[in-house]
Amino acid sequence: MKPKRKVIQDYGKLKREILNKLRVAKTVEEQLVQFSDVTRKFDEYPDPNLICNTLSFLAECFRTCDKNEIRYCLLKVFKETEKYIKQTDSAALDHTVKNIFFPLENRSNDTVARAIALRILGYLSILLTDRIDIQHGILQRLDSTFPIEANAAIFAADKLCAKTEKFAVILCDQLETKFQSNDLSMTFRIKLIRILRHMHWEISLAHKSRNICLQMLEQSSDGIMQSAILRTLTLLSCRALVDRSDQVELLMDYAINGSNEYVRSNALVDLLNLTKKDSVFSVSHALRLLNLVVNASEQIIKVKALRILTVLIKRGRLLADLLSQRSDQDLCIEALHSIQNCEDMIHDITSEVSIIAAQFCTELIIETRRIVSRTDILIWTEWNTYISELSSKIQSSFLSIIVGLIRVADINASDRDMHGKIIKKYLKFLFSMCLSDDTMALNVSRYIIKIMQEYITTNNDDIFAEVSKFILMVGKLRKSIIQTLMQNLIAVLKSSELLQMPRSFTLLAKTALKVPPEVNTEAENFQQMIIATIQSFGQFDGSTICNNQWNIYLIGVDAGKSGCFSVMASIMQFFVTAVDVDASRYWLRALINIATAEKGMVMKVGIDQMFDLQPEQADILDTFEDSIRRYAQGDEELNGFMALMDISNQRLFAKWFYLLRVEFFKTMKSFLEKLNQYMNPRIKRKKKDMVDIQEMLLRAAHMHDFVAHSFFDVDKKSLEILESYRICCLILVYAIKSLLVGVESNQEHIDPSLIPLIPMIRYVNADLNNFTNSWKAGEIDQREKLALYTQSIQILREIEQLKQHKLQSASSNPVLVVRDFVRAMLKIPMNIPPYFFDRQQRTRIHWLDVPYFKGNNKDKAILVQEKLVLKLEGIVQSGYEAVSKKLKSIEMIIFGSNIDLFEKSNPENSLLNNLKFSDVALSYREFATKNADSLPTSSAVVCSVEINNNFFTSSVIFPFPLGKDGFRFINVHTRIVDDQSVMWTIGPDLRIAIE
C-alpha cells in the first residue's frame, strides 16, 4: 500500500510512450506494429483520458493516411476498443467521429476507405445516437451499388439500430419499402432481415417487425431464407418479451414439418435459444419433441431435439408438471414410453446420439431425485418405479460402455484420443448422478477401481488418468467412500504397471492423501507407506529422485494441502539438495519448515504427558516454541526466494500465512500456560489473565478475517480454511466468557458468524455425523471446515451443559473442558491453503494521476469555497479470467492525520502496517457514520463509486483544514465490493502529503 509518486510518473510515462511511438512510426510496417499494441495497453490501463487521446490521434491518422492497409489495422483497433468507448466522454471524442466520417462527408472516390469508415462508425455507434447527419449518411450508403460499401453500411446500421430507438423506427420503415422490391438479391435481403432483431424498443415496433418477417416467411420457399427469418424472429422474441408462445409454436411446426433437414435443424437451434425462458414451453411441447427424437431419421435432428429436452429437464418446472399426480396420467405414461425409446439409443458407444441420450437420461434421474427430495409434489407411481429401474440400468450401461471403450482403445491405438474423450463424458454423467446418491457413488467407485485393477496392463495413461480423476473427485465429495475403498486403492497405487503411468499415479496418490487415518500413529504409518511408494515411482537411488520429478513435487504440494506433512517434508527434502537454482532451494526450504512445524505439532499434541506442563520436562509449550522457530526460519527462506524472483509485492499471501500461524501458535501457547495456572490450586486466579487471552484470541480472529478478505482472487477453499480458524478463536473467546471469567451477559465481542452455531446447542442428543453431513450436503471438499465446526458444536454443547449444572462427571471441570477443546483443535492438521502456492496477487488497484501537493501548487485538486476537491481515478487491474467474483463498486474512506501512517519505506513488506492502516480507517468510518448529521466534526469522508470496465473515478470534497493549521496528510483507504456485496481490502491504499 505504498503511495504514489512513482505511480504518477509511471502513468505519465505510459501516456507519453504510447503517443510518441505512434507519432514516430513512419513506414507502414512500423505503424502496423504500433497500432496493434494499442489495444493491449488499453486492456492494462483502461483510463478514459488515455483512450480519448489515443483514439483521437488514430482518427487523425485515418483521415490523413492514403493507404488502406493502415485503415484496416485502425479498424481492428477500434473494434477491440469498442467496450471502453462507453466509459469515455462522448464530447471528447467528437473530433474522433468527424475524422472517421471525413471520407463519407467529402464523398471520397476510394470505395474501400468509405467501407472501412462505415465499419468504424459501427463500432463508435454509442457516440452516434444524436448525430442525425451521420445516421443519414449511413442510410444513404444502404443504396450503394458497391457491395463492399453496402455491406459496411448494413453493419453500421445494425450496430446503430441496437443503440437508439429513433434510428430503429426510421430504419424499419425504410426496410419495409426495400423488402417490397424484387431487385434485392437474396444475400442482401437476408442481411437486412437480420437487422430486424433489434426492433424491440416498443411493442408496436416489435409487432410491426414480426409481421414483416412473417409475410416474407409465407412468400419464401428457400430454406436459407426461411432459417434466417426464423432466427431473426427468435432473437426478436427474446429481447422484446412478446410473442414468445407464438414463436415456440412456429418453430415447433418448422422443426417437425420443415421442408428439409437444414430448416428443421436450424429451427431446433432456435428452440434451444428459447429454452432459457422455459415458461413458454408446456408438457405438450416436450411430448412432441420426444416423438421427434423417436421418429426422426436424421441423426442431427435427434441430437438437437435431445439437447432441448435436456435443458428443459434441468430447469425442473416442466418435469414437475409432467410427473405430478395433478397432471394427466395418460400423458405421463406416454412420456415414459418415449423416454424408454431414448434409453434404447444408448447402444452405439461412439455415436453423438448415444452420448446425448445418455446425458438426457442422467439429467432426468438427477432432476427427479431433486423434486422428490426437496418438494412435496406427489409423483405417479409408474414414474417413480421407472426412474428407480432406470438409475440402476444407466449405471450398469455406462460402466459397460467405459469397459468396452478401454478394450477398443487397447486394440485400436489410432482412435485412443476420441475414446478417451467419450470415456470422460460418461464418467462426468456418472459423477453427476453420484452427487445425489452416496450408495451409487460407493458402488461406482468400487467398480471403477476394479476396472483399473483388471485393465491396468493396457498401460494407457491418458485413459487411466480420466478414470483416476473420477476417483479423486469422489474423494473430494465423500471422503468416507475413499476410506472404505482405501485398501483396493493402495493396491492399485503400488502396482508396478501404474508406476509407468505418471498422470494416473499422481492423481491416485493425491486421492489417497485426501483421507489419511485420523489416529496419529496410523496416519504416520500411512504416510511412510506413501513415501516408499513415491520413491519407487521416482526411482529413488538413495539420494536423488531420478524420474517424474515434477509429478512428485505436485504430490508434495497436495500433501501439504491435505495435511500430510510427513509426505510433504520428505518430498521437498528429496529435491532441496538436488536443485542448482538458489531461488528453488529457498522455496523448498520454506516448504520444509512449514511441514516440519505442523508435523511436530500434530504428533506431540496426541501425547497426554505433553500437557502435564511439569518443570524440567518436555511439554507442549516446547513444541509451540519449536514450531514458531520453524516458521520464523521459513519466513526468512521465503524472503530470499521473493528477493531472487523479484516478486516482493506479489507473494503476499504466503507471507501472511507465516504470520498467521505464528500468531495462532503464540496465542495457543499463552492460553495453555494460563489454563495450567488456573488448574494449580496454589496459584491465585487472576481475571485479567483471561481478559488478556481474550484480546489475543480476538486479535488472531481479526487477522484471519483481514487476510481472508485482502485477496480478491483467493479461492473458496483457502477462504474456508481461514474462516475455520477464525471461528475457533471466537469459540474460545465464548468459552472463556461463559466458563472462566463469568461475564455471561457481556456479548459485545461475540462475532455474528457464531449466531448459526449457537442454536445448534439444543441438538444435544442428535447424531452429530448425520447432522453435519446433511448440513454440508452438496458442498465439496469441506474437511477442514467441517472437522473444526464439529469440535465447535461439541464444545458449545458442553458449555451449555456446564452452565446448567447438568454434568456431574470429572469432565465438568470448565478448565479441563476448555483445555480439551484446544487440544482437539490442535490435533486437526492445518491444511495449507491452495492460494499459498499462487505466485501473485493478480487483482490490485492502480491509481491514476493521484493528487499531490508541493508548496502552494496543487495538481488534480482544486479549492471550492475554501473546501478541497480531490479527483481520484484508478483502475482495478486483474489478470485472472477464471475468478468467479465480479467487481461492483469501490468504497473510499478519506481521512486526515498529522502522522504518516505508512511508517516503513516499503509498506508492502510491512504486513501489520497494512492491518493497522485498515483498522484506523474503519474506526474513522464508524465515527463518520455515527456523526453523519454533523459531518464536519468527524474528520472523515466515505464515498462509494461504481467500477465500470475496471475503471473508477470520483470527485470528493475534503472539508477539513490542511497544512500548518490542519492535517499534514490525507489518507485514502479503499475496499472493493463484489457482486455479492462482500468487501475486499486488496490495496494499495493512498497517502497524500501536504507540505
Coordinates of all heavy atoms in Angstrom, one line a residue, residues 20-66:
N20 N 4.0 8.9 -28.4 CA 5.3 9.1 -29.0 C 5.6 8.0 -30.0 O 6.1 8.2 -31.2 CB 6.5 9.2 -28.0 CG 6.4 10.6 -27.3 OD1 5.8 11.5 -27.7 ND2 7.0 10.6 -26.1
K21 N 5.4 6.8 -29.6 CA 5.6 5.6 -30.5 C 4.7 5.7 -31.7 O 5.1 5.4 -32.9 CB 5.4 4.3 -29.8 CG 6.5 4.0 -28.8 CD 6.3 2.6 -28.2 CE 7.5 2.2 -27.3 NZ 7.3 0.9 -26.7
L22 N 3.5 6.2 -31.5 CA 2.6 6.3 -32.7 C 3.0 7.4 -33.6 O 2.9 7.3 -34.8 CB 1.1 6.6 -32.2 CG 0.4 5.4 -31.4 CD1 -0.9 5.9 -30.9 CD2 0.2 4.2 -32.3
R23 N 3.5 8.5 -33.0 CA 4.0 9.6 -33.9 C 5.2 9.3 -34.7 O 5.3 9.7 -35.8 CB 4.2 10.8 -33.0 CG 2.9 11.4 -32.4 CD 3.2 12.8 -31.7 NE 2.0 13.3 -31.1 CZ 1.7 13.3 -29.8 NH1 2.6 12.7 -29.0 NH2 0.6 13.8 -29.4
V24 N 6.2 8.6 -34.1 CA 7.4 8.4 -34.8 C 7.4 7.3 -35.8 O 8.3 7.1 -36.6 CB 8.6 8.1 -33.7 CG1 8.7 9.3 -32.8 CG2 8.3 6.8 -33.0
A25 N 6.3 6.5 -35.7 CA 6.2 5.4 -36.7 C 5.8 6.0 -38.1 O 4.8 6.6 -38.3 CB 5.1 4.4 -36.3
K26 N 6.7 5.8 -39.1 CA 6.5 6.4 -40.4 C 6.2 5.4 -41.4 O 5.3 5.6 -42.2 CB 7.8 7.2 -40.8 CG 8.2 8.3 -39.8 CD 7.0 9.3 -39.7 CE 7.4 10.5 -38.7 NZ 6.3 11.4 -38.6
T27 N 6.9 4.3 -41.5 CA 6.7 3.3 -42.5 C 5.4 2.5 -42.2 O 4.9 2.5 -41.0 CB 7.8 2.3 -42.6 OG1 7.9 1.5 -41.4 CG2 9.2 3.1 -42.8
V28 N 4.9 1.9 -43.2 CA 3.6 1.1 -43.0 C 3.9 0.0 -41.9 O 3.1 -0.3 -41.1 CB 3.2 0.5 -44.3 CG1 2.0 -0.5 -44.1 CG2 2.8 1.6 -45.3
E29 N 5.0 -0.7 -42.1 CA 5.3 -1.8 -41.1 C 5.4 -1.3 -39.7 O 4.9 -1.9 -38.8 CB 6.6 -2.5 -41.5 CG 6.6 -3.2 -42.8 CD 6.7 -2.3 -44.0 OE1 6.9 -1.1 -43.9 OE2 6.4 -2.8 -45.2
E30 N 6.1 -0.1 -39.5 CA 6.2 0.4 -38.1 C 4.8 0.8 -37.6 O 4.5 0.6 -36.4 CB 7.1 1.6 -38.1 CG 8.6 1.3 -38.4 CD 9.5 2.5 -38.5 OE1 8.9 3.6 -38.7 OE2 10.7 2.4 -38.5
Q31 N 4.0 1.4 -38.4 CA 2.7 1.8 -37.9 C 1.8 0.6 -37.6 O 1.1 0.6 -36.6 CB 2.0 2.7 -39.0 CG 2.6 4.1 -39.2 CD 1.9 4.9 -40.3 OE1 1.7 4.3 -41.4 NE2 1.7 6.1 -40.0
L32 N 1.9 -0.4 -38.4 CA 1.1 -1.6 -38.1 C 1.5 -2.2 -36.8 O 0.6 -2.6 -36.0 CB 1.2 -2.6 -39.2 CG 0.7 -2.2 -40.6 CD1 0.9 -3.3 -41.6 CD2 -0.9 -2.0 -40.5
V33 N 2.8 -2.2 -36.5 CA 3.3 -2.8 -35.2 C 2.8 -2.0 -34.0 O 2.3 -2.5 -33.0 CB 4.8 -2.9 -35.2 CG1 5.3 -3.2 -33.8 CG2 5.3 -3.9 -36.2
Q34 N 2.9 -0.6 -34.1 CA 2.5 0.2 -33.0 C 1.0 0.2 -32.8 O 0.5 0.2 -31.7 CB 3.0 1.6 -33.3 CG 4.5 1.8 -33.3 CD 5.1 1.2 -32.0 OE1 4.6 1.4 -30.9 NE2 6.3 0.6 -32.2
F35 N 0.2 0.2 -33.9 CA -1.2 0.2 -33.8 C -1.7 -1.1 -33.1 O -2.6 -1.1 -32.3 CB -1.9 0.3 -35.2 CG -1.7 1.7 -35.8 CD1 -1.9 1.9 -37.2 CD2 -1.3 2.8 -35.1 CE1 -1.7 3.1 -37.8 CE2 -1.2 4.0 -35.6 CZ -1.4 4.2 -37.0
S36 N -1.1 -2.2 -33.5 CA -1.5 -3.5 -32.9 C -1.3 -3.6 -31.4 O -1.9 -4.4 -30.7 CB -0.8 -4.6 -33.6 OG 0.6 -4.5 -33.4
D37 N -0.4 -2.7 -30.9 CA 0.0 -2.7 -29.5 C -1.0 -1.9 -28.6 O -1.0 -1.9 -27.4 CB 1.4 -2.3 -29.3 CG 1.9 -2.6 -27.9 OD1 1.8 -3.8 -27.4 OD2 2.5 -1.7 -27.2
V38 N -1.8 -1.0 -29.3 CA -2.6 -0.1 -28.6 C -3.7 -0.8 -27.7 O -3.9 -0.5 -26.5 CB -3.3 0.9 -29.6 CG1 -4.4 1.6 -28.9 CG2 -2.3 1.8 -30.2
T39 N -4.3 -1.8 -28.3 CA -5.4 -2.5 -27.5 C -4.9 -3.2 -26.3 O -5.6 -3.2 -25.3 CB -6.1 -3.5 -28.4 OG1 -5.2 -4.4 -29.0 CG2 -6.9 -2.8 -29.5
R40 N -3.7 -3.7 -26.3 CA -3.1 -4.3 -25.2 C -2.9 -3.3 -24.0 O -3.1 -3.6 -22.9 CB -1.7 -5.0 -25.5 CG -1.1 -5.7 -24.3 CD 0.2 -6.3 -24.7 NE 1.2 -5.3 -25.1 CZ 2.0 -4.7 -24.3 NH1 1.8 -4.9 -23.0 NH2 2.9 -3.8 -24.7
K41 N -2.4 -2.1 -24.4 CA -2.3 -1.0 -23.4 C -3.6 -0.6 -22.8 O -3.7 -0.4 -21.6 CB -1.6 0.2 -24.1 CG -0.2 0.0 -24.6 CD 0.8 -0.4 -23.4 CE 2.2 -0.5 -24.0 NZ 3.1 -0.8 -22.9
F42 N -4.7 -0.6 -23.7 CA -6.0 -0.3 -23.1 C -6.5 -1.3 -22.2 O -7.1 -1.0 -21.2 CB -7.0 -0.1 -24.3 CG -6.8 1.1 -25.1 CD1 -7.6 1.3 -26.2 CD2 -5.9 2.1 -24.7 CE1 -7.4 2.5 -27.0 CE2 -5.8 3.3 -25.5 CZ -6.5 3.5 -26.6
D43 N -6.2 -2.6 -22.4 CA -6.6 -3.6 -21.5 C -5.9 -3.5 -20.2 O -6.5 -3.8 -19.1 CB -6.2 -5.0 -22.1 CG -7.1 -5.4 -23.3 OD1 -8.2 -4.8 -23.4 OD2 -6.7 -6.2 -24.2
E44 N -4.6 -3.1 -20.2 CA -3.9 -2.9 -18.9 C -4.3 -1.6 -18.2 O -4.4 -1.6 -17.0 CB -2.4 -2.9 -19.2 CG -1.8 -4.2 -19.8 CD -0.4 -4.1 -20.1 OE1 0.2 -3.0 -20.0 OE2 0.2 -5.2 -20.5
Y45 N -4.5 -0.6 -18.9 CA -4.8 0.7 -18.3 C -6.0 1.4 -19.0 O -5.9 2.2 -19.9 CB -3.6 1.7 -18.5 CG -2.4 1.1 -17.9 CD1 -1.4 0.5 -18.7 CD2 -2.1 1.2 -16.5 CE1 -0.2 0.0 -18.2 CE2 -1.0 0.6 -16.0 CZ 0.0 0.0 -16.8 OH 1.1 -0.5 -16.3
P46 N -7.2 0.9 -18.7 CA -8.4 1.5 -19.4 C -8.9 2.8 -18.8 O -10.0 3.0 -18.4 CB -9.5 0.4 -19.1 CG -9.1 -0.2 -17.7 CD -7.6 -0.1 -17.7
D47 N -7.9 3.8 -18.9 CA -8.2 5.1 -18.5 C -8.9 5.9 -19.6 O -8.4 6.0 -20.7 CB -6.9 5.8 -18.1 CG -7.1 7.3 -17.7 OD1 -8.0 7.6 -17.1 OD2 -6.2 8.1 -18.2
P48 N -10.0 6.6 -19.3 CA -10.7 7.3 -20.3 C -9.9 8.4 -21.0 O -10.0 8.6 -22.2 CB -11.9 8.0 -19.6 CG -12.1 7.1 -18.4 CD -10.8 6.6 -18.0
N49 N -9.0 9.1 -20.3 CA -8.2 10.1 -20.9 C -7.2 9.5 -21.8 O -7.0 10.1 -22.9 CB -7.4 10.9 -19.8 CG -8.4 11.7 -18.9 OD1 -9.4 12.2 -19.4 ND2 -8.0 11.9 -17.6
L50 N -6.6 8.4 -21.4 CA -5.7 7.7 -22.3 C -6.4 7.3 -23.6 O -5.9 7.4 -24.7 CB -5.0 6.5 -21.6 CG -4.1 5.6 -22.4 CD1 -2.9 6.4 -22.9 CD2 -3.7 4.4 -21.6
I51 N -7.6 6.7 -23.4 CA -8.4 6.2 -24.6 C -8.7 7.3 -25.5 O -8.6 7.2 -26.7 CB -9.6 5.4 -24.1 CG1 -9.2 4.2 -23.3 CG2 -10.5 5.1 -25.2 CD1 -10.3 3.5 -22.6
C52 N -9.2 8.4 -24.9 CA -9.6 9.6 -25.8 C -8.5 10.1 -26.6 O -8.6 10.4 -27.8 CB -10.2 10.7 -24.9 SG -11.9 10.3 -24.3
N53 N -7.3 10.4 -25.9 CA -6.2 10.9 -26.6 C -5.7 10.0 -27.7 O -5.3 10.5 -28.8 CB -5.0 11.2 -25.6 CG -5.4 12.3 -24.6 OD1 -6.2 13.1 -24.9 ND2 -4.8 12.2 -23.4
T54 N -5.6 8.7 -27.4 CA -5.1 7.8 -28.4 C -6.0 7.6 -29.6 O -5.6 7.6 -30.7 CB -4.9 6.4 -27.7 OG1 -4.1 6.6 -26.6 CG2 -4.2 5.4 -28.7
L55 N -7.4 7.5 -29.3 CA -8.3 7.3 -30.4 C -8.4 8.6 -31.3 O -8.6 8.5 -32.5 CB -9.7 7.0 -29.9 CG -9.8 5.6 -29.2 CD1 -11.3 5.4 -28.8 CD2 -9.3 4.5 -30.1
S56 N -8.2 9.7 -30.6 CA -8.2 11.0 -31.4 C -7.0 11.0 -32.4 O -7.1 11.4 -33.5 CB -8.1 12.2 -30.5 OG -9.3 12.3 -29.7
F57 N -5.9 10.6 -31.9 CA -4.7 10.5 -32.7 C -4.9 9.5 -33.9 O -4.5 9.8 -35.0 CB -3.5 10.1 -31.9 CG -2.2 10.0 -32.7 CD1 -1.5 11.2 -33.0 CD2 -1.8 8.8 -33.2 CE1 -0.3 11.1 -33.8 CE2 -0.6 8.7 -33.9 CZ 0.1 9.8 -34.2
L58 N -5.5 8.3 -33.5 CA -5.7 7.3 -34.6 C -6.7 7.8 -35.6 O -6.5 7.5 -36.8 CB -6.1 6.0 -33.9 CG -5.2 5.3 -32.9 CD1 -5.8 4.1 -32.3 CD2 -3.9 5.0 -33.7
A59 N -7.7 8.5 -35.2 CA -8.7 9.0 -36.1 C -8.1 10.0 -37.1 O -8.4 10.1 -38.3 CB -9.9 9.6 -35.4
E60 N -7.2 10.8 -36.5 CA -6.5 11.8 -37.4 C -5.6 11.1 -38.4 O -5.5 11.5 -39.6 CB -5.6 12.7 -36.5 CG -4.8 13.8 -37.2 CD -5.8 14.8 -37.8 OE1 -6.9 15.0 -37.2 OE2 -5.4 15.5 -38.8
C61 N -5.0 10.0 -37.9 CA -4.2 9.1 -38.9 C -5.1 8.6 -40.0 O -4.7 8.5 -41.2 CB -3.5 8.0 -38.1 SG -2.2 8.5 -37.0
F62 N -6.3 8.1 -39.6 CA -7.2 7.6 -40.5 C -7.6 8.6 -41.6 O -7.7 8.3 -42.8 CB -8.5 7.1 -39.8 CG -9.5 6.5 -40.7 CD1 -9.5 5.1 -41.0 CD2 -10.5 7.3 -41.3 CE1 -10.4 4.6 -41.8 CE2 -11.5 6.7 -42.1 CZ -11.4 5.4 -42.4
R63 N -7.8 9.9 -41.2 CA -8.2 10.9 -42.1 C -7.1 11.3 -43.1 O -7.4 11.6 -44.3 CB -8.7 12.2 -41.4 CG -9.2 13.3 -42.2 CD -9.7 14.4 -41.4 NE -8.6 15.1 -40.8 CZ -7.9 16.1 -41.3 NH1 -8.1 16.4 -42.6 NH2 -6.9 16.6 -40.7
T64 N -5.9 11.3 -42.6 CA -4.8 11.8 -43.4 C -4.0 10.7 -44.2 O -3.3 11.1 -45.2 CB -3.8 12.5 -42.5 OG1 -3.3 11.6 -41.5 CG2 -4.4 13.7 -41.8
C65 N -4.2 9.5 -43.8 CA -3.4 8.4 -44.5 C -4.0 8.1 -45.8 O -5.2 8.4 -46.1 CB -3.3 7.2 -43.6 SG -4.8 6.1 -43.6
D66 N -3.2 7.6 -46.7 CA -3.7 7.2 -48.1 C -3.5 5.7 -48.4 O -3.5 5.3 -49.5 CB -2.9 8.1 -49.1 CG -1.4 7.9 -49.0 OD1 -1.0 7.2 -48.1 OD2 -0.7 8.5 -49.8

